[in-house]
Amino acid sequence: MKQPTLGNPQNTIEILQKYSFSFQKKFGQNFLIDTHVLDKIIASANITKDDMVLEIGPGIGTMTQYLACAAGKVVAVEIDKALIPILEDTLSAYDNVTVINEDVLKVDINQLAKEYNGGKPIKVVANLPYYITTPIIMGLYESHVPIESITVMVQKEVADRMQTGPGSKDYGALSLAVQYYAEPYIVANVPPNCFMPRPNVGSAVIRLISHKKPPVQVKDEQLMFKIIRASFNQRRKTLANGLNNSPEIQLPKEVIIGAIESLGKGASIRGEALTLEEFAKLSNTISEML
Ligand code: SAM
């Protein structure tokens, strides 16, 4: 298969000029122009010719070329219709790529996995548009798309939030949600000069390997996530007050305090001190009371 031609500043500028492309800030367009970073993403994503890869936001097709060389099949979803003729050009040498001109948040990814991978687990690899990182990741997990791993470039601060545990200022609902579904680790930190145009934040590649089975036993997943959201909505309040003030949890305060105390914690504890396992236990106790 043809070796990638994109991935450096010169070839990127050439393509952008050929098509008089103008960057759309609203779509979070920061294209990769560093072959070392691209090699690192591809190597860490652990792709083989048996894999179907979903790429979110192919841009001008830089990473798509690398993915096409490594994977059996690549399905790339791009919202910006101005990029479609460019992708037809830059991907013309690769017959295992399908480009879909859609908003990824509106695409039925389960259906794509069925159609292109017989419903088997897919790998997601992307340099994500930062303005919708959380909805993309949570959408994939909550709609129970069969996923083996997600390897994505995100804002550095968001990568830290996904990876951290109790006691850190970055710990929150995103950390707990990601860690319920997957094992996260940061592969590399990436500075702004690896992109065109340069983003005004630092970036990181994070890899999320899906758990074969959830690390905690939860009777009612939705209730656990309601409790988690309520605990972090009012960070400076105690867990008991956070839950008591939440419109999603209708229980008398004494009952909430009783459930917290059954964890062996005092009523003044804050949500940010609880582990995923403790949130699971709390949710199981509360679900018996509802
Ligand atoms: N993969 C390319 C690269 O690394 O050079 C481009 C990455 S750029 C950070 C994000 C890409 O996502 C852009 O091409 C942008 O147009 C696209 N995008 C933004 N919002 C999107 C959405 N809702 N659905 C699909 N693609 C989207």
Side-chain angles (χ1 to χ4, degrees), residues 119-135:
K120 293 194 303 294
I122 61 170
K123 291 182 177 166
V124 177
V125 186
N127 170 16
L128 287 178
Y130 294 172
Y131 73 108
I132 43 169
T133 301
T134 302

Side-chain angles (χ1 to χ4, degrees), residues 27-32 38 55-63 77-80 83 102-105 127-132:
F27 289 145
Q29 292 176 336
N30 300 96
F31 298 165
L32 268 169
L38 285 153
E55 187 189 8
I56 297 159
I60 59 167
T62 307
M63 195 153 75
V77 181
E78 174 54 62
I79 197 169
D80 186 352
L83 289 165
E102 278 280 2
D103 176 347
V104 73
L105 296 177
N127 170 16
L128 287 178
Y130 294 172
Y131 73 108
I132 43 169

